[in-house]
Amino acid sequence: MTKTFTRVVAVAAAALGLTLTAATPALASADKCKGDAFESCVAVNGTGLHVNWIKSRVGLYSKTCRYGHSQVLINGDHFADSNGGRDKNYCSTSVWGAEVTTGQWNENRNYGRGAKICSKFWWNNGATGPGTVNGYTSFGTACATVG
């Protein structure tokens, strides 16, 4: 009976153009943004637990520029800074605004399930007071989870 049932399901699936496959692991690929008026963004490309590359971006309003840098964290630990940690002017040339790439790192390695890869854009605006660190204001922390 089991073989007959399996054949019936296989024939029905074939007739419907369905493919029966075993469950595949979650992709390591993700693209997330976090912030209010301006956003920090992170993109992770990979499959399963394997990460090919990590890209940091900043989301900007229409035709604006922000001077600063992105910081990438993996599981809360510092991983890298865009432009070697030196501030740079990142600009949107579109009237609709844009997400501007601030850095990309080729990883080509596996991470543990649940690893958090985050990016945070630090705007060097010279401000002081709550929410600033040494003259920098963060646009938020965007995180992607592996697996």
Side-chain angles (χ1 to χ4, degrees):
M1 168 111 178
T2 303
K3 286 182 182 180
T4 303
F5 180 73
T6 303
R7 277 191 220 119
V8 168
V9 169
V11 169
L16 293 172
L18 301 175
T19 303
L20 300 176
T21 60
T24 57
L27 295 178
S29 297
D31 196 338
K32 307 278 183 173
C33 291
K34 178 82 174 182
D36 293 324
F38 296 97
E39 298 179 307
S40 297
C41 302
V42 65
V44 178
N45 174 272
T47 305
L49 302 178
H50 187 83
V51 173
N52 297 319
W53 52 257
I54 300 167
K55 186 184 292 187
S56 60
R57 298 186 321 280
V58 60
L60 301 170
Y61 269 111
S62 152
K63 296 193 176 191
T64 59
C65 294
R66 288 296 179 257
Y67 186 69
H69 67 278
S70 289
Q71 178 182 51
V72 175
L73 306 165
I74 298 179
N75 291 325
D77 294 328
H78 182 264
F79 171 73
D81 293 296
S82 63
N83 202 35
R86 294 179 310 277
D87 294 334
K88 179 180 170 183
N89 230 7
Y90 295 97
C91 301
S92 164
T93 57
S94 169
V95 70
W96 307 109
E99 291 176 4
V100 179
T101 298
T102 57
Q104 181 170 327
W105 298 268
N106 292 324
E107 276 299 271
N108 196 29
R109 65 168 281 208
N110 291 334
Y111 282 91
R113 186 172 308 282
K116 289 213 177 293
I117 300 174
C118 303
S119 178
K120 180 184 289 198
F121 185 81
W122 290 99
W123 175 31
N124 184 346
N125 60 355
T128 59
T132 63
V133 177
N134 298 325
Y136 287 90
T137 301
S138 169
F139 286 175
T141 304
C143 295
T145 303
V146 176

